[in-house]
């Protein structure tokens, strides 16, 4: 489950009384119920100065759940054969470049498809600036271009920033239901 990647972090600091304006004297508590997503409620409690030193404790909740879900992974010249050609599941490969505006527009759509289809397809992205040999081998002349592979064989290509429905319809052709 994606929530396994979430963890609580507590920071404790010690300050002398004459430095107390530098450190707040309150502690925030965050409560995250497990039903209906995350809802944040905060309570503040005052800490007292009982000695020469005061304690400052800060808690925060760090969640890397997004990384736990199937996302689009990077493929390069060296990993192409292993990840794309030798893959038994259908493969979607997006050819892109960091300077390409339409590539940045279609990237969230590819991420959604990777999450939606989970382990039915493998989604990868190839930076054409870093791996020009693969782009040349498959005749990629404009980006973004999305290629579909099944059993190591190129089945279809879609050029340009297209809607999610177009990509979904193409994926459905090659996914074994």
């Amino acid at each position: 489950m994606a929530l396994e990647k979430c963890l609580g972090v507590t920071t404790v600091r010690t300050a002398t009384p004459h430095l107390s304006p530098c450190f707040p004297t309150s502690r925030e508590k965050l409560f995250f119920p497990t039903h209906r997503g995350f809802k944040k409620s905060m309570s503040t409690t005052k800490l007292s100065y009982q000695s020469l030193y005061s304690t400052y404790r800060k808690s925060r909740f760090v969640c890397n759940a997004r990384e736990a879900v199937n996302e689009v992974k990077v493929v390069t010249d060296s990993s192409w054969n292993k990840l794309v050609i030798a893959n038994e599941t259908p493969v979607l490969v997006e050819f892109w470049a960091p300077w390409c505006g339409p590539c940045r527009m279609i990237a969230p759509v590819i991420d959604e498809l990777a999450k939606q289809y989970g382990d039915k397809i493998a989604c990868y992205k190839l930076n054409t600036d870093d791996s020009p040999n693969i782009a040349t081998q498959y005749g990629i002349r404009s980006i973004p271009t999305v290629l579909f592979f099944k059993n190591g064989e190129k089945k279809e290509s879609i050029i340009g920033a297209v809607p999610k429905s177009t990509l979904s319809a193409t994926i459905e052709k090659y996914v074994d239901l």
Side-chain angles (χ1 to χ4, degrees), residues 90-149:
V91 179
L92 177 148
V93 181
E94 175 197 7
F95 289 80
W96 72 288
W99 48 264
C100 170
C103 298
R104 285 182 275 166
M105 289 172 47
I106 200 172
V109 174
I110 302 291
D111 286 340
E112 288 177 26
L113 291 170
K115 292 173 188 171
Q116 179 181 342
Y117 287 96
D119 30 330
K120 292 181 182 177
I121 64 167
C123 292
Y124 297 104
K125 59 184 179 180
L126 183 131
N127 185 335
T128 56
D129 291 341
D130 295 340
S131 303
N133 295 335
I134 299 295
T136 303
Q137 178 181 345
Y138 287 94
I140 306 299
R141 296 187 180 269
S142 60
I143 52 175
T145 297
V146 178
L147 297 184
F148 294 90
F149 291 84

Side-chain angles (χ1 to χ4, degrees), residues 1 3 31-41 61:
M1 183 174 200
L3 293 178
F31 300 98
F32 295 95
T34 58
H35 65 285
R36 294 188 179 177
F38 290 116
K39 292 185 180 180
K40 180 171 76 169
S41 64
F61 190 77

Side-chain angles (χ1 to χ4, degrees), residues 17-34:
H18 61 80
L19 295 177
S20 62
C22 296
F23 297 105
T25 59
S26 64
R27 179 175 60 199
E28 295 179 347
K29 294 181 181 178
L30 303 177
F31 300 98
F32 295 95
T34 58

Side-chain angles (χ1 to χ4, degrees), residues 7-127:
L7 44 110
V9 177
T10 301
T11 305
V12 178
R13 293 183 186 162
T14 309
T16 57
H18 61 80
L19 295 177
S20 62
C22 296
F23 297 105
T25 59
S26 64
R27 179 175 60 199
E28 295 179 347
K29 294 181 181 178
L30 303 177
F31 300 98
F32 295 95
T34 58
H35 65 285
R36 294 188 179 177
F38 290 116
K39 292 185 180 180
K40 180 171 76 169
S41 64
M42 299 171 64
S43 68
T44 305
T45 56
K46 300 287 182 188
L47 296 175
S48 62
Y49 293 102
Q50 297 179 355
S51 66
L52 290 175
Y53 294 96
S54 64
T55 302
Y56 173 69
R57 177 174 289 176
K58 181 178 179 185
S59 297
R60 59 192 166 104
F61 190 77
V62 179
C63 185
N64 294 323
R66 187 166 186 256
E67 287 78 24
V69 181
N70 291 336
E71 284 195 10
V72 181
K73 297 169 185 72
V74 175
V75 66
T76 61
D77 287 338
S78 59
S79 62
W80 179 263
N81 287 333
K82 178 183 174 189
L83 297 176
V84 178
I85 303 302
N87 205 327
E88 294 178 3
T89 61
V91 179
L92 177 148
V93 181
E94 175 197 7
F95 289 80
W96 72 288
W99 48 264
C100 170
C103 298
R104 285 182 275 166
M105 289 172 47
I106 200 172
V109 174
I110 302 291
D111 286 340
E112 288 177 26
L113 291 170
K115 292 173 188 171
Q116 179 181 342
Y117 287 96
D119 30 330
K120 292 181 182 177
I121 64 167
C123 292
Y124 297 104
K125 59 184 179 180
L126 183 131
N127 185 335

